[in-house]
Amino acid sequence: MNDRLRVQLLGTGDPFAHGDRMQSCTLLESGGQRILIDCGATTLLALQRWNINPSSLDAVVVTHFHGDHAAGLPFLLLDTVIGTRDGADRPPRSRPLLIAGPEGIEEFVRSSMDLFRWGDAFVAAQEQGLVAYGTVRPYETFNAGAFQITGYPALHTPEALSLRVACGDRTVAFSGDTSWTDALLEASAGADLFICQAYSFAIPQKTVLSYQVVQEQRHRFSCRRLILTHIGAEMQQHLDEASEEVGHDGQEIFL
């Protein structure tokens, strides 16, 4: 594939908006196809801020079901059904939106829509052929158009995954949320870019990574470039002490 892979970090923050950062969301674009990795609650705002039409998205893949990674899905699906009505100056969706994630992704979206009293929109999206669902499993590869997505086990919630996304000869890996596991080495092996969370700077964590742990394991990674994300309060206070690149909202990377 000759098309370059464009990566845009739409949300690099934690659940609490420390550093004025939006919640987890990354856009991958190549050959006219667009997918999101993770879909935090601020995703529609991020799409608006960087002039990305939600109807232009081909797929959304989430690493796990915590709100700062998946709470944007109900809003995105609502937008898919009715977001282009009432004077919105953009074309409606012309193909199904693929929503993929760990086992139980469709039920998660259904229950979230029911919780927000948008159950009718969930049904309408199904009936109008505006949505499809797919499951990403550990050590299996799932195809989303030009993107091949492989899951790796993560140590966070029971369903949580790290991801490796290949597009042509380019590869981007995502830690998602996880404490240390050697599966991160597999997911990011030889990747052109590894987007790795570093929630805290030195405060020990049970279910997520700290910068200190990433640094202790850094010599074991074989990725070509590593960018830190999911920046929490303590990490935000120590950015000038980080020797690794720290991502920021809106940042574009071309591979």
Side-chain angles (χ1 to χ4, degrees):
M1 176 179 290
N2 294 322
D3 293 301
R4 298 181 73 185
L5 175 60
R6 185 174 79 92
V7 181
Q8 187 171 17
L9 308 180
L10 301 181
T12 59
D14 65 359
F16 314 109
H18 288 116
D20 295 327
R21 295 170 181 266
M22 287 191 273
Q23 294 176 2
S24 295
C25 184
T26 301
L27 174 73
L28 302 182
E29 180 177 17
S30 182
Q33 296 186 41
R34 286 175 160 177
I35 68 171
L36 294 183
I37 303 297
D38 279 333
C39 189
T42 55
T43 293
L44 278 185
L45 174 60
L47 295 175
Q48 290 276 359
R49 182 165 294 175
W50 285 289
N51 298 312
I52 300 165
N53 180 359
S55 297
S56 72
L57 299 173
D58 295 283
V60 184
V61 184
V62 299
T63 56
H64 65 290
F65 300 148
H66 274 161
D68 58 320
H69 292 257
L73 289 174
F75 297 94
L76 191 60
L77 190 56
L78 184 70
D79 179 89
T80 295
V81 177
I82 65 173
T84 55
R85 299 178 187 174
D86 302 325
D89 185 22
R90 55 186 172 88
R93 175 165 291 279
S94 60
R95 64 205 180 286
L97 173 67
L98 173 63
I99 298 178
E103 195 79 45
I105 180 65
E106 182 174 354
E107 181 52 38
F108 171 81
V109 176
R110 179 194 299 274
S111 61
S112 298
M113 297 291 281
D114 285 342
L115 178 65
F116 293 150
R117 302 298 190 264
W118 292 332
D120 288 349
F122 177 88
V123 173
Q126 301 273 48
E127 292 179 343
Q128 295 173 31
L130 296 174
V131 66
Y133 295 93
T135 301
V136 182
R137 297 181 176 88
Y139 300 111
E140 293 184 8
T141 298
F142 178 90
N143 292 321
F147 300 90
Q148 292 79 51
I149 300 152
T150 305
Y152 292 84
L155 301 179
H156 188 62
T157 59
E159 81 283 355
L161 297 168
S162 298
L163 300 176
R164 182 181 180 90
V165 183
C167 183
D169 59 358
R170 299 290 184 264
T171 303
V172 182
F174 297 83
S175 69
D177 283 3
T178 183
S179 57
W180 179 258
T181 166
D182 281 359
L184 290 171
L185 303 176
E186 298 178 82
S188 63
D192 296 284
L193 175 65
F194 179 34
I195 299 173
C196 181
Q197 57 133 319
Y199 174 70
S200 64
F201 184 75
I203 297 173
Q205 303 294 324
K206 291 184 177 180
T207 61
V208 291
L209 293 170
S210 68
Y211 174 76
Q212 186 175 68
V213 168
V214 174
Q215 284 302 97
E216 289 170 355
Q217 300 291 339
R218 184 65 177 91
H219 67 284
R220 303 178 67 194
F221 286 109
S222 61
C223 53
R224 294 180 177 85
R225 183 176 177 181
L226 186 149
I227 293 182
L228 301 177
T229 188
H230 205 282
I231 306 303
E234 188 213 12
M235 184 64 191
Q236 184 68 34
Q237 295 165 9
H238 292 271
L239 293 183
D240 58 349
E241 300 174 48
S243 59
E244 298 293 340
E245 182 178 359
V246 179
H248 59 84
D249 290 2
Q251 181 176 355
E252 289 183 292
I253 301 154
F254 292 89
L255 302 175

